[in-house]
Amino acid sequence: MSEIIENAAEMQDINEVMRIRREKLIELQNSGADPFRIVKYDVTHRTAEIVSQFETFEGKRVSVAGRLMSKRDMGKSSFCDIQDRDGKIQLYARINELGEEKYTGFKKLDIGDIIGVTGTVFKTRMGEISIKMDDYVLLSKSLRPLPEKFHGLKDTDTRYRQRYLDLIVNPEVKKTFITRSRIISAIRRFMDEHDFLEVETPILNTIAGGAAARPFITHHNTLDIDMYLRIAPELFLKRLIVGGLERVYELGRMFRNEGMDVKHNPEFTMMEIYQAYTDYHGMMRLTEDLISTVAREVIGSMKVVYQGQEIDLTPPWKRITMQEAVLMYAGVDFSRISGDEEARAIAREKGLQLEGSPTKGEVMSLLFEEFAEPNLIQPTFVMDYPVEISPLTKRKPDKPELTERFELFITGREFGNAYSELNDPIDQKERFLDQVRKREAGDEEANMMDDDFIVALEHGLPPTGGLGIGVDRLVMLLTDSYSIRDVLLFPTMKPKE
């Protein structure tokens, strides 16, 4: 009950603050100083630039703009802090410089108001870099108080729903998203420098393909057909390799109608890369080169700390087969297992709950996920996956029950998935048909038949390496963010009641 009373009192305080602020706005509007009629303001410099290069700016007149974050009234002079995208700087206002009318108006400003300021850069007796104001303009009136006035913004649900407040009052959050932007820019720069073409493929698909995932379904009214938001761009990108583009990549949003947790959001950012005349070993070298280069450029080091543990991204990275990983962490040697039933019996002994009748290869994958995956903390390529779980991958010539596929694991999480791409149209059609049978048996994540893709393969796909990298997870790693929601500006949220 006391908490309810406290919340009610807090809301009453907020409502009173909002009433007073609206009265201030009306007063400004009646005096012909409506801040919402101002359409632009000329900014000459940003706060961080002035602070970091004080010797250059000392004594110079500058113009900055941003949000008032604090105020300290000292009678005929006042101090306040203004915040823009890059940082904060202290403002010093005096009645002597502004004049009585202007200074009186300045004292009526509220924390959260957006202002433009001109003045001279100097350092106070306390050694703080500041701007001595000679003029200001109110550019936008904040009618609601910032959350830090009422116990801060720490509740994660509120932070994700009202990201704009999160960015205002939590500087580390703003830093995360600035870093995210720089990571994506560095990725594109790397790809461009390695002679890859950035391309765009459809987000609305008539067939959900390229990955094992449940799609979102929508309806096209004019064509009167159901369509799917893409779960992966793979099949379109490989068509472009058939067409002779040879090196392509796409970085964009994917959509999967699946569970939500600290690693998964229904819409997420992924990059897929396809390169003709290479294989999954070439994709391994590209992957470790790409990620280590991005870390060095953006973070300044190939060693990063994630949730208290140092991760060394310096190439080359560890390489291990799935069979070796299962032997190492689950104690099961699949080279000695003769068939599906024996594999299922061992899985049950290990405590796994099996659905249906998984094959030997599927059981090996289940044991890997349960026992090996959480232990792969430092960058590790896990290679040679069973053919049953790799419908788009070329078989190993000497072990046709396995494929030339790897996944990259860091901090016990999957970061990338890559193949020597299957370019045999006859084999590909048989694997699609197997996926269709699984789908008809109730597996909603199984691939659909894509006849046009088979036609494309029949025209000839050169030997090709393909790679998908989870961009959000890479950002999580390089910004030390625990949850994917911490690196998505607007994560998917259940609507409030």
Side-chain angles (χ1 to χ4, degrees):
M1 178 64 72
S2 62
E3 185 177 337
I4 295 175
I5 294 172
E6 183 179 324
N7 289 340
E10 184 177 293
M11 285 305 301
Q12 186 174 354
D13 288 346
I14 293 175
N15 290 336
E16 177 64 14
V17 169
M18 291 176 62
R19 183 189 66 78
I20 293 171
R21 291 190 178 203
R22 284 181 180 269
E23 288 178 354
K24 289 181 179 180
L25 174 63
I26 292 170
E27 181 183 342
L28 287 166
Q29 291 171 331
N30 289 340
S31 68
D34 185 352
F36 298 125
R37 295 182 66 87
I38 297 174
V39 296
K40 62 174 288 188
Y41 186 80
D42 292 328
V43 175
T44 62
H45 299 91
R46 294 190 180 275
T47 59
E49 178 187 11
I50 296 169
V51 172
S52 65
Q53 302 176 42
F54 171 70
E55 291 77 9
T56 301
F57 285 98
E58 185 176 13
K60 291 187 177 180
R61 193 165 184 265
V62 296
S63 174
V64 299
R67 190 180 298 272
L68 280 180
M69 298 302 292
S70 67
K71 285 185 67 184
R72 302 173 295 284
D73 185 10
M74 303 172 66
K76 293 186 177 182
S77 64
S78 299
F79 289 95
C80 62
D81 292 315
I82 188 174
Q83 175 177 288
D84 60 14
R85 189 192 72 180
D86 296 340
K88 288 183 183 179
I89 196 167
Q90 179 173 268
L91 304 178
Y92 176 51
R94 289 205 316 165
I95 192 171
N96 291 4
E97 276 78 23
L98 292 176
E100 185 173 349
E101 181 179 353
K102 197 86 173 180
Y103 183 71
T104 300
F106 179 80
K107 291 176 67 175
K108 291 182 179 180
L109 295 178
D110 294 303
I111 293 174
D113 287 351
I114 297 174
I115 63 172
V117 172
T118 55
T120 305
V121 178
F122 77 110
K123 188 177 288 187
T124 67
R125 283 180 295 178
M126 300 298 292
E128 183 160 358
I129 297 168
S130 307
I131 297 174
K132 184 183 293 184
M133 297 167 51
D134 56 46
D135 197 10
Y136 75 91
V137 179
L138 177 60
L139 302 172
S140 182
K141 184 67 184 170
S142 175
L143 300 180
R144 287 179 178 268
L146 293 178
E148 65 178 351
K149 185 176 175 61
F150 297 93
H151 317 310
L153 186 64
K154 302 300 180 185
D155 176 68
T156 54
D157 187 77
T158 303
R159 287 180 50 230
Y160 299 147
R161 290 183 189 277
Q162 296 180 282
R163 184 66 85 185
Y164 47 92
L165 294 180
D166 196 19
L167 292 167
I168 292 170
V169 304
N170 292 322
E172 71 279 3
V173 173
K174 184 185 293 183
K175 182 181 178 182
T176 291
F177 288 104
I178 291 173
T179 301
R180 179 189 175 101
S181 177
R182 290 172 179 163
I183 289 169
I184 291 173
S185 294
I187 289 172
R188 284 196 162 100
R189 187 162 54 249
F190 177 94
M191 297 306 298
D192 294 344
E193 289 172 355
H194 285 73
D195 199 29
F196 284 84
L197 297 174
E198 183 173 9
V199 297
E200 296 173 309
T201 63
I203 291 175
L204 280 176
N205 297 168
T206 55
I207 293 171
R214 182 183 301 175
F216 285 96
I217 304 173
T218 187
H219 189 79
H220 192 292
N221 291 334
T222 301
L223 296 177
D224 193 24
I225 59 171
D226 283 343
M227 301 189 77
Y228 306 92
L229 294 181
R230 69 177 176 192
I231 56 177
E234 176 169 343
L235 301 184
F236 284 103
L237 292 173
K238 285 196 279 194
R239 286 172 169 90
L240 299 181
I241 300 297
V242 171
L245 293 187
E246 295 190 357
R247 293 188 180 206
V248 297
Y249 77 98
E250 183 168 14
L251 198 160
R253 288 290 209 191
M254 309 299 152
F255 307 86
R256 297 182 183 179
N257 196 356
E258 298 173 343
M260 297 165 58
D261 57 32
V262 296
K263 296 185 291 183
H264 297 92
N265 193 72
E267 58 175 311
F268 59 98
T269 302
M270 184 168 69
M271 178 172 67
E272 290 211 6
I273 303 165
Y274 292 87
Q275 178 180 342
Y277 311 115
T278 191
D279 62 1
Y280 74 144
H281 292 290
M283 289 295 105
M284 284 185 219
R285 291 189 292 272
L286 183 70
T287 303
E288 61 190 5
D289 192 12
L290 167 62
I291 292 178
S292 61
T293 298
V294 170
R296 186 181 65 247
E297 287 189 9
V298 178
I299 307 302
S301 173
M302 292 190 192
K303 293 182 178 180
V304 300
V305 176
Y306 184 76
Q307 302 298 293
Q309 187 160 21
E310 185 178 84
I311 305 297
D312 190 352
L313 299 174
T314 307
W317 297 343
K318 183 178 179 180
R319 287 150 168 79
I320 186 173
T321 67
M322 179 180 281
Q323 185 171 301
E324 290 168 342
V326 171
L327 176 60
M328 182 181 302
Y329 294 106
V332 179
D333 186 353
F334 268 78
S335 69
R336 298 179 179 274
I337 295 176
S338 59
D340 298 342
E341 187 51 51
E342 184 182 355
R344 289 194 285 265
I346 290 175
R348 294 188 189 99
E349 289 175 10
K350 290 289 184 179
L352 295 188
Q353 299 294 319
L354 303 180
E355 295 183 6
S357 300
T359 65
K360 173 183 171 181
E362 290 169 335
V363 170
M364 182 166 71
S365 177
L366 292 171
L367 287 169
F368 169 77
E369 291 175 6
E370 181 69 21
F371 294 100
E373 189 172 318
N375 293 289
L376 303 176
I377 305 303
Q378 296 301 325
T380 304
F381 292 118
V382 178
M383 309 179 295
D384 302 350
Y385 280 46
V387 69
E388 301 97 311
I389 61 170
S390 310
L392 299 165
T393 313
K394 185 171 286 192
R395 297 174 190 262
K396 289 184 71 66
D398 57 336
K399 295 181 180 178
E401 74 279 8
L402 300 176
T403 61
E404 293 198 344
R405 173 185 175 187
F406 74 79
E407 287 184 313
L408 167 64
F409 291 90
I410 311 174
T411 67
R413 297 175 175 179
E414 178 206 339
F415 275 68
N417 186 18
Y419 318 146
S420 296
E421 300 296 334
L422 179 59
N423 62 345
D424 178 344
I426 298 170
D427 189 359
Q428 182 65 83
K429 186 170 184 177
E430 286 302 316
R431 294 205 222 171
F432 271 152
L433 289 171
D434 180 61
Q435 290 286 301
V436 168
R437 285 190 289 269
K438 290 179 178 179
R439 193 173 187 85
E440 290 172 347
D443 185 352
E444 296 182 10
E445 294 187 353
N447 282 220
M448 299 178 181
M449 173 60 76
D450 190 335
D451 290 311
D452 182 72
F453 180 66
I454 299 297
V455 171
L457 291 186
E458 289 173 344
H459 284 86
L461 173 70
T464 297
L467 165 68
I469 291 179
V471 173
D472 302 312
R473 291 188 184 180
L474 179 58
V475 175
M476 290 168 66
L477 176 67
L478 297 183
T479 60
D480 193 15
S481 299
Y482 174 71
S483 171
I484 192 172
R485 292 184 174 191
D486 294 327
V487 300
L488 298 176
L489 281 168
F490 299 102
T492 303
M493 303 288 289
K494 183 179 180 180
K496 285 187 173 182
E497 297 296 333

